[in-house]
Amino acid sequence: MHDVSVNAQNGQIQIANEVLAVVSGTAALEVEGVATSHSVSDASGRFAKRNFSRGVKIAMREDSVSVDIAIIVKFGHQIHIVSEEVQKRVKSALETMVGMTVKEVNVNVVGIHFDKPPKVKAKVKSKVMPTKRG
């Protein structure tokens, strides 16, 4: 993968693929129903520190860019609607922020995130000891 080079009026501008990946990942995470990009959970299943470029691959093709992004969708959201919105947001973000033509945004849904139910404390039965009167 090569960095993006843009000829500007006063010289050349280079944008690292990592920057394009961060822009794409951040745009995807703004979509309602996206839990995270890729599988960034630790061993206990909790979400670890977010790496906005994780699960994002950028491919340059002549004058355009193609994006492959892996996401985890929150349970209860319609996967196809969330995926289409991710495509729109990533395309818009790259075209607006970088000024590049986006050829395609391929979304790979790699998992479903289930919210953990709230913990319910068990009722503790206490035995009432009779008091001595006397």
Side-chain angles (χ1 to χ4, degrees), residues 74-134:
K74 293 177 183 176
F75 180 77
H77 291 268
Q78 294 181 358
I79 294 171
H80 69 284
I81 292 174
V82 171
S83 298
E84 288 172 357
E85 187 62 26
V86 166
Q87 288 175 318
K88 290 176 191 173
R89 294 263 183 108
V90 169
K91 183 179 190 300
S92 176
L94 286 173
E95 289 177 346
T96 302
M97 293 182 71
V98 184
M100 298 189 68
T101 301
V102 177
K103 180 180 178 185
E104 60 187 0
V105 177
N106 300 309
V107 177
N108 301 303
V109 179
V110 297
I112 300 291
H113 173 68
F114 295 90
D115 288 329
K116 291 183 180 180
K119 291 183 179 180
V120 179
K121 292 183 179 181
K123 291 184 180 180
V124 178
K125 293 183 181 180
S126 61
K127 295 182 180 180
V128 177
M129 299 297 285
T131 56
K132 293 184 180 180
R133 293 186 181 168

Side-chain angles (χ1 to χ4, degrees), residues 39-97:
S39 52
V40 291
S41 60
D42 63 16
S44 68
R46 294 185 321 247
F47 288 106
K49 181 181 175 186
R50 289 188 176 173
N51 179 351
F52 294 109
S53 66
R54 189 168 182 171
V56 180
K57 292 181 184 176
I58 303 293
M60 293 300 303
R61 293 187 174 86
E62 296 186 22
D63 294 337
S64 65
V65 62
S66 294
V67 179
D68 290 324
I69 185 164
I71 63 170
I72 296 175
V73 176
K74 293 177 183 176
F75 180 77
H77 291 268
Q78 294 181 358
I79 294 171
H80 69 284
I81 292 174
V82 171
S83 298
E84 288 172 357
E85 187 62 26
V86 166
Q87 288 175 318
K88 290 176 191 173
R89 294 263 183 108
V90 169
K91 183 179 190 300
S92 176
L94 286 173
E95 289 177 346
T96 302
M97 293 182 71

